[in-house]
Amino acid sequence: MTKARQLWLKIHTYLGLSIGIMLVLLGLTGSILVFYLQFDIWLNPDIEAVSTAPVSQQQTVFDQLQQQFPTRTDSWRIEQPLHSGWPIMARYYTPVETRDLQFAPLMVTIDPATLEITSKRFWGEFAMTWIYNLHYSLLVDKTGKTLVGIIGLISLISLLTGVVLWWPGWHKLRQVMAWRLRTSYAKKVFDLHILSGSYGFIVLFMLSLTGAALALPTQTQQIIRIFSPLASSPILARSLQQQGKKPVISADTAVASAFKLFPDAELRWVESPGIKKNSWRVVFYQQGEPSRRFPRTQVWVNAFTGDIVASRDGLADSAGDKVLNWLHPLHNGEAFGLTGRIIVFICGFLPLILFITGLLRWQQKRHARKRTAYRHS
């Protein structure tokens, strides 16, 4: 074995042993989160909607929230159901109960037909959001996010060193990619490790790269800005008091104004001004955007006049913004529909297979070296 190959092998081995458990944790939790909204409904059947009919009047949802939570006067954000049987999901981002946490909004589910509030839960205090926090920040908030980003970058190095060690050359690629497990235990472990890594390399590399970028957003944006400008949020007046006592327009009026800019788009989110902002924010999905749940087409509507004060066309973003827009839907597979989600779900189990087979392979080699040393002693 050449010295260069020995170096690559040591790097690959010790990186895998050092972060392997963390990659297993991130892989398994990531698989769950691919379908986390559906899993939440399965775990909490009371929140499943009784009707598939969409809400035609958005203001009725905000009226219900105001009636049920009269002291929560900041902005509410309501999300339209993605699928039949799903509830409307509302978020209140500034609950006093969780103000010491970086991200812990009050999450409310509402039946779109009856407008009945079917759950009131703080983010992180129910199963699926606890798993989300575990995956995204290891339950230690900002420090954990940074650590997850670093683990993602180390994972990229581990994957690349694995490919360098495995690469057979183009002329043998088809032969080595044939699925086969040899008979002996040691060779079977080796084959399973190699095949899992080679078949899953592209998806695992993409998941590590996008995961690191999502966990390190500031650093990611700084790098992208070198090559492309990025959009910034519009500068809007913060206090409603500047507008006097003029009546605030309804959510439906705001949505109708926003639809004039994007008449063929699908309504996804509506965010109320609350007492600290002077604009409604309406978020649309346009065909061609990578994420239907978190699209980038947005319109800000003056809460007193109904005038459009700012907008963003998700299909006209800069190259840098398009890169950012693709990160999350690539990471959870949404960009490629149900097929993409299933692929990402399956690949979330590969770190477990790679870690177990890699550990077994390392132990086999260590025992072999001990036997060789004993015979020559």
Side-chain angles (χ1 to χ4, degrees), residues 159 194-206 347 350:
L159 288 166
I194 292 296
L195 290 170
S196 298
S198 58
Y199 272 92
F201 172 76
I202 293 177
V203 177
L204 290 176
F205 190 89
M206 179 270 294
C347 286
L350 290 181

Side-chain angles (χ1 to χ4, degrees), residues 269-280:
W269 298 80
V270 183
E271 185 174 285
S272 66
I275 63 170
K276 296 181 180 178
K277 300 177 184 178
N278 76 335
S279 298
W280 290 90

Side-chain angles (χ1 to χ4, degrees), residues 58 62 76-78 80 255 267 269-272 280-281:
Q58 303 302 316
F62 286 103
W76 282 93
R77 177 170 159 177
I78 62 171
Q80 311 305 311
V255 169
L267 179 65
W269 298 80
V270 183
E271 185 174 285
S272 66
W280 290 90
R281 185 164 73 100

Side-chain angles (χ1 to χ4, degrees), residues 104-120:
L106 173 65
M107 307 292 290
V108 177
T109 56
I110 304 166
D111 189 284
T114 65
L115 295 186
E116 177 188 358
I117 291 178
T118 52
S119 71
K120 298 175 285 186

